[in-house]
Amino acid sequence: MIIHSRWRKLTRPLIVLAVVGAFAGTLSGLAADPSEPIPLIVDLNGPRGVAAGPLGIVGYAENDGSFSALATRGPFAGTTFNLGSVPPTYIAPSMAIGSLGQTYVLTAGGPPGSGAATLYRWVGSDTPRVVADIAKYQATDPDPYNLADDPGESNPFNVAVLPDGSVLVSDAAANDLLRVFRNGRIVTVARLKPRVVKVPDELPDVGFPPAGTPLPSEAVATSVTVGADGYYYVGELRGFPATPGMSQIWRIAPDSVNAVCDPEAPRRGRCQRYADGFTSIVALGAGRDGSIYVVELVKRSWLQWELELVDPPVGGLFRIPPGGGHPQELAADQLILPAGVAVSGKNVYLTGPVFGPGTLSKIRAVSGRGH
């Protein structure tokens, strides 16, 4: 099975901001096209996590483990502040900010004891403190639907804050959604079962099963957001063979424990399929109007990019209208390896490319139903 090391098992309170750090970026002017990305900060180091906080603060994280904040309004508008750092891993951390400014930073998978696969909390100018060792928990709660590698492996990939201050963590290796309480206690909210897919035509004839061969494929739970309805939304990357159009979004009832997201029974239980037909989802965001924003790493699939069958690796940003419906693509064919998304009022904030020099951008949020 072909897996790039940087993806590991992917087949598988800012209310008080200390005025520290130097001026590092300015807001650009408005673009003519409302869906045209507007660069806010350029030359970032593999940016991924992005979070919208109170008072017009937008947080973002880079590949060296650093996380920062951009003021988008008020007397410091256009100024960035370095907040702190966590141990770096193969990819930038994920980041979430609660309504009261509580800030959480989540490191992806890596060696035990390295600070990887760990949830941190940052308050004001304090050094980030460990809330929970996600890898340690997953070693005691193995994936019962595992298809490859260690069923107790962990690669926590995205984070979202709930109103009570607890945190949701989607784990791309364990194929599940966790809830971490402020005291560090963890419960498994839901598990995502594999889906049978067909090998796509685009893969090489040598070294891969023939096109059309049905194979079970892991969900790879890369993304999570909390909708305006209070439900939890989880997106899939889709494991090998990464067949395009087979990534689902699941809608999970609040306060669920050990729910099962089953593609063979997608309308049953506390976890039900909300949307289908996406490819290589890596991030989700939620609008106050009930819309869900979806980031695809590569529209032709992460595996085709890894195999160098895609150049350039164009990703996508889509908006699912409130209540579901046909998704609308924003900034079509303008995004290369997009990584993270956050929604604040009329703005959608986006990071990428996820590897190499990248940018924090904004796109005007849209209203109305998709087409």
Side-chain angles (χ1 to χ4, degrees):
M1 191 175 291
I2 298 178
I3 299 299
H4 197 289
S5 61
R6 62 190 168 198
W7 289 105
R8 303 187 64 80
K9 190 192 170 184
L10 290 191
T11 59
R12 323 272 282 158
L14 280 175
I15 284 183
V16 180
L17 273 175
V19 184
V20 295
F23 175 80
T26 58
L27 298 177
S28 300
L30 294 176
D33 181 352
S35 69
E36 184 84 14
I38 303 169
L40 301 179
I41 309 174
V42 299
D43 295 328
L44 296 175
N45 177 8
R48 186 170 75 95
V50 59
L55 306 178
I57 293 296
V58 176
Y60 58 93
E62 301 179 69
N63 194 44
D64 60 0
S66 65
F67 58 98
S68 305
L70 168 69
T72 65
R73 65 174 189 259
F76 296 103
T79 305
T80 61
F81 304 94
N82 177 259
L83 304 180
S85 63
V86 293
T89 64
Y90 73 99
I91 199 170
S94 179
M95 188 175 180
I97 304 174
S99 60
L100 299 179
Q102 63 272 44
T103 300
Y104 292 91
V105 182
L106 177 72
T107 54
S114 66
T118 299
L119 178 66
Y120 296 84
R121 188 171 189 262
W122 177 87
V123 181
S125 59
D126 293 343
T127 300
R129 67 174 182 85
V130 173
V131 178
D133 185 331
I134 305 299
K136 182 178 180 180
Y137 173 81
Q138 296 289 34
T140 68
D141 187 47
D143 178 10
Y145 311 113
N146 181 70
L147 297 177
D149 299 331
D150 179 2
E153 187 180 0
S154 177
N155 185 13
F157 210 75
N158 253 305
V159 61
V161 183
L162 291 170
D164 68 351
S166 62
V167 174
L168 298 175
V169 172
S170 59
D171 196 310
N175 299 309
D176 62 6
L177 179 67
L178 307 178
R179 184 175 182 178
V180 184
F181 293 88
R182 294 189 62 176
N183 62 2
R185 182 172 70 92
I186 304 175
V187 298
T188 300
V189 174
R191 303 182 191 276
L192 283 63
K193 296 184 69 173
R195 185 181 197 180
V196 176
V197 304
K198 293 182 179 180
V199 176
D201 295 335
E202 297 85 356
L203 298 187
D205 294 332
V206 178
F208 292 88
T213 302
L215 293 176
S217 175
E218 292 192 6
V220 188
T222 53
S223 42
V224 61
T225 192
V226 181
D229 56 3
Y231 278 67
Y232 314 154
Y233 292 79
V234 176
E236 305 173 331
L237 184 85
R238 183 56 57 209
F240 180 87
T243 305
M246 299 302 289
S247 292
Q248 305 161 111
I249 297 173
W250 297 96
R251 181 173 181 261
I252 303 169
D255 300 321
S256 294
V257 177
N258 290 323
V260 177
C261 308
D262 186 353
E264 295 186 2
R267 300 300 178 194
R268 186 175 66 195
R270 296 180 64 81
C271 178
Q272 300 190 11
R273 187 161 60 203
Y274 184 73
D276 200 358
F278 289 97
T279 302
S280 299
I281 298 173
V282 289
L284 296 177
R288 289 183 298 182
D289 63 350
S291 57
I292 299 294
Y293 290 80
V294 186
V295 175
E296 295 183 339
L297 179 72
V298 184
K299 292 199 286 186
R300 283 180 51 190
S301 93
W302 65 268
L303 180 57
Q304 292 189 41
W305 167 57
E306 292 281 5
L307 295 173
E308 300 183 350
L309 302 177
V310 179
D311 186 22
V314 177
L317 172 64
F318 299 84
R319 175 184 178 268
I320 302 175
H326 191 73
Q328 174 184 358
E329 185 171 9
L330 306 179
D333 300 324
Q334 299 181 61
L335 307 176
I336 303 297
L337 299 178
V341 65
V343 187
S344 179
K346 297 180 179 180
N347 294 314
V348 179
Y349 295 93
L350 194 70
T351 52
V354 66
F355 297 110
T359 301
L360 171 67
S361 304
K362 77 172 180 180
I363 295 174
R364 192 72 167 174
V366 297
S367 60
R369 301 193 67 82
H371 59 274

